[in-house]
Coordinates of all heavy atoms in Angstrom, one line a residue:
G94 N -7.0 -8.6 0.5 CA -7.4 -8.6 1.9 C -8.6 -7.8 2.1 O -9.5 -7.7 1.3
P95 N -8.7 -7.2 3.4 CA -7.6 -7.1 4.4 C -7.4 -8.4 5.1 O -8.2 -9.4 5.0 CB -8.2 -6.1 5.4 CG -9.7 -6.3 5.3 CD -9.9 -6.6 3.8
F96 N -6.2 -8.5 5.8 CA -5.8 -9.8 6.4 C -5.7 -9.5 7.9 O -5.2 -8.5 8.4 CB -4.4 -10.2 5.9 CG -4.4 -10.4 4.4 CD1 -4.0 -9.4 3.5 CD2 -4.8 -11.6 3.8 CE1 -4.0 -9.5 2.1 CE2 -4.9 -11.8 2.4 CZ -4.5 -10.7 1.6
S97 N -6.0 -10.5 8.7 CA -6.1 -10.4 10.1 C -4.7 -10.5 10.8 O -4.5 -10.1 11.9 CB -7.0 -11.5 10.7 OG -6.4 -12.8 10.5
S98 N -3.7 -11.0 10.0 CA -2.4 -11.1 10.5 C -1.4 -11.2 9.4 O -1.7 -11.4 8.2 CB -2.3 -12.4 11.3 OG -2.4 -13.6 10.4
V99 N -0.1 -11.0 9.7 CA 1.0 -11.1 8.8 C 1.0 -12.5 8.2 O 1.3 -12.7 7.0 CB 2.3 -10.7 9.4 CG1 3.5 -11.0 8.4 CG2 2.3 -9.2 9.8
D100 N 0.8 -13.5 9.1 CA 0.8 -14.9 8.6 C -0.2 -15.1 7.5 O 0.1 -15.8 6.5 CB 0.6 -15.8 9.8 CG 1.8 -16.0 10.7 OD1 2.9 -15.6 10.2 OD2 1.6 -16.5 11.8
E101 N -1.4 -14.6 7.7 CA -2.5 -14.8 6.7 C -2.1 -14.1 5.4 O -2.4 -14.6 4.3 CB -3.8 -14.2 7.3 CG -5.0 -14.4 6.4 CD -6.2 -13.8 6.9 OE1 -6.3 -13.4 8.1 OE2 -7.2 -13.6 6.1
F102 N -1.5 -12.9 5.5 CA -1.0 -12.2 4.3 C 0.0 -13.1 3.6 O 0.0 -13.2 2.4 CB -0.4 -10.9 4.8 CG 0.2 -10.1 3.7 CD1 -0.5 -9.7 2.6 CD2 1.5 -9.7 3.8 CE1 0.1 -8.9 1.5 CE2 2.2 -8.9 2.8 CZ 1.4 -8.5 1.7
H103 N 1.0 -13.6 4.3 CA 2.1 -14.4 3.7 C 1.5 -15.6 3.0 O 1.9 -16.0 1.9 CB 3.1 -14.8 4.8 CG 4.0 -13.7 5.1 ND1 4.8 -13.8 6.3 CD2 4.4 -12.6 4.5 CE1 5.6 -12.7 6.3 NE2 5.3 -11.9 5.2
R104 N 0.5 -16.2 3.7 CA -0.1 -17.4 3.2 C -0.8 -17.2 1.8 O -0.7 -17.9 0.9 CB -1.2 -18.0 4.2 CG -1.6 -19.4 3.8 CD -2.5 -19.9 5.0 NE -1.8 -20.0 6.3 CZ -2.1 -19.2 7.3 NH1 -3.1 -18.3 7.2 NH2 -1.4 -19.3 8.4
E105 N -1.4 -16.0 1.7 CA -2.1 -15.6 0.4 C -1.0 -15.3 -0.6 O -1.2 -15.7 -1.8 CB -2.9 -14.3 0.7 CG -3.6 -13.8 -0.6 CD -4.7 -14.7 -1.0 OE1 -5.2 -15.6 -0.3 OE2 -5.1 -14.6 -2.2
L106 N 0.1 -14.7 -0.2 CA 1.1 -14.4 -1.2 C 1.7 -15.7 -1.8 O 2.2 -15.7 -3.0 CB 2.3 -13.6 -0.5 CG 2.0 -12.2 -0.2 CD1 3.2 -11.5 0.4 CD2 1.6 -11.4 -1.4
R107 N 1.7 -16.8 -1.1 CA 2.3 -18.1 -1.6 C 1.2 -19.1 -2.0 O 1.4 -20.3 -2.0 CB 3.3 -18.7 -0.6 CG 2.7 -19.1 0.7 CD 3.8 -19.7 1.6 NE 3.2 -20.3 2.8 CZ 3.1 -19.7 4.0 NH1 3.6 -18.4 4.1 NH2 2.6 -20.3 5.0
N108 N 0.0 -18.5 -2.3 CA -1.1 -19.4 -2.8 C -1.5 -20.5 -1.8 O -1.9 -21.6 -2.2 CB -0.8 -20.0 -4.1 CG -0.7 -18.9 -5.2 OD1 -1.3 -17.8 -5.1 ND2 0.0 -19.2 -6.3
G109 N -1.3 -20.3 -0.5 CA -1.7 -21.2 0.5 C -0.8 -22.4 0.7 O -1.1 -23.4 1.4
I110 N 0.4 -22.4 0.0 CA 1.3 -23.5 0.2 C 1.9 -23.5 1.6 O 2.5 -22.5 2.0 CB 2.4 -23.5 -0.9 CG1 1.7 -23.6 -2.3 CG2 3.4 -24.6 -0.7 CD1 2.7 -23.4 -3.4
E111 N 1.9 -24.6 2.3 CA 2.5 -24.7 3.6 C 3.7 -25.6 3.5 O 3.9 -26.4 2.6 CB 1.5 -25.3 4.6 CG 0.2 -24.5 4.7 CD 0.3 -23.2 5.4 OE1 1.5 -22.8 5.7 OE2 -0.7 -22.5 5.6
S112 N 4.6 -25.6 4.6 CA 5.8 -26.4 4.6 C 5.5 -27.9 4.5 O 6.2 -28.6 3.9 CB 6.6 -26.1 5.9 OG 5.8 -26.3 7.0
E113 N 4.3 -28.3 5.1 CA 4.0 -29.7 5.0 C 3.6 -30.2 3.6 O 3.5 -31.4 3.4 CB 2.9 -30.1 6.0 CG 1.6 -29.3 5.8 CD 1.5 -28.1 6.7 OE1 2.6 -27.5 7.0 OE2 0.3 -27.6 7.0
H114 N 3.4 -29.2 2.8 CA 3.0 -29.6 1.4 C 4.3 -29.9 0.5 O 4.2 -30.5 -0.6 CB 2.3 -28.5 0.7 CG 1.0 -28.2 1.3 ND1 0.4 -26.9 1.3 CD2 0.1 -28.9 2.1 CE1 -0.8 -26.9 1.9 NE2 -0.9 -28.2 2.4
L115 N 5.4 -29.6 1.1 CA 6.7 -29.8 0.3 C 7.2 -31.2 0.5 O 7.2 -31.7 1.6 CB 7.8 -28.8 0.8 CG 7.4 -27.3 0.8 CD1 8.6 -26.5 1.3 CD2 7.1 -26.9 -0.6
T116 N 7.4 -31.9 -0.6 CA 7.9 -33.2 -0.6 C 9.1 -33.4 -1.5 O 9.2 -32.7 -2.6 CB 6.8 -34.2 -1.1 OG1 6.4 -33.9 -2.4 CG2 5.6 -34.2 -0.1
G117 N 10.0 -34.2 -1.1 CA 11.2 -34.4 -1.9 C 12.1 -33.2 -2.0 O 11.9 -32.3 -1.2
E118 N 13.0 -33.2 -2.9 CA 14.0 -32.1 -3.0 C 13.5 -31.0 -3.9 O 14.1 -29.9 -4.0 CB 15.3 -32.6 -3.4 CG 16.0 -33.6 -2.5 CD 17.4 -34.0 -2.9 OE1 17.8 -33.4 -3.9 OE2 17.9 -34.8 -2.2
Q119 N 12.4 -31.2 -4.7 CA 11.9 -30.2 -5.6 C 12.9 -29.5 -6.4 O 13.1 -28.3 -6.3 CB 11.0 -29.2 -4.8 CG 9.8 -29.9 -4.1 CD 9.0 -28.9 -3.4 OE1 9.5 -28.1 -2.6 NE2 7.7 -28.9 -3.6
P120 N 13.6 -30.2 -7.3 CA 14.7 -29.6 -8.1 C 14.2 -28.4 -9.0 O 15.0 -27.6 -9.3 CB 15.2 -30.8 -8.9 CG 14.0 -31.7 -9.0 CD 13.4 -31.6 -7.7
H121 N 12.9 -28.4 -9.3 CA 12.4 -27.4 -10.2 C 12.1 -26.1 -9.4 O 11.7 -25.1 -10.0 CB 11.1 -27.9 -10.9 CG 10.0 -28.2 -10.0 ND1 10.1 -29.3 -9.1 CD2 8.7 -27.7 -9.8 CE1 9.0 -29.4 -8.4 NE2 8.1 -28.4 -8.8
M122 N 12.1 -26.2 -8.0 CA 11.9 -25.0 -7.2 C 12.9 -24.8 -6.2 O 12.7 -24.9 -5.0 CB 10.5 -25.1 -6.5 CG 9.3 -25.2 -7.5 SD 7.7 -25.4 -6.7 CE 7.4 -23.7 -6.1
P123 N 14.2 -24.6 -6.6 CA 15.3 -24.5 -5.6 C 15.1 -23.3 -4.7 O 14.7 -22.2 -5.1 CB 16.5 -24.3 -6.5 CG 16.0 -23.8 -7.8 CD 14.7 -24.4 -8.0
G124 N 15.3 -23.5 -3.4 CA 15.2 -22.4 -2.4 C 13.8 -22.2 -1.9 O 13.6 -21.4 -1.1
F125 N 12.8 -23.1 -2.4 CA 11.4 -22.8 -2.0 C 11.2 -23.2 -0.5 O 10.5 -22.5 0.2 CB 10.5 -23.6 -2.8 CG 9.0 -23.2 -2.8 CD1 8.7 -22.0 -3.5 CD2 8.1 -23.8 -2.0 CE1 7.4 -21.6 -3.4 CE2 6.8 -23.3 -1.9 CZ 6.4 -22.2 -2.6

Side-chain angles (χ1 to χ4, degrees):
F96 303 96
S97 62
S98 67
V99 172
D100 285 344
E101 184 182 345
F102 175 59
H103 283 164
R104 194 174 299 112
E105 179 69 16
L106 288 181
R107 62 177 188 267
N108 292 339
I110 299 174
E111 305 288 4
S112 55
E113 58 265 26
H114 298 152
L115 304 181
T116 59
E118 297 185 5
Q119 298 182 306
H121 61 295
M122 300 178 75
F125 199 79

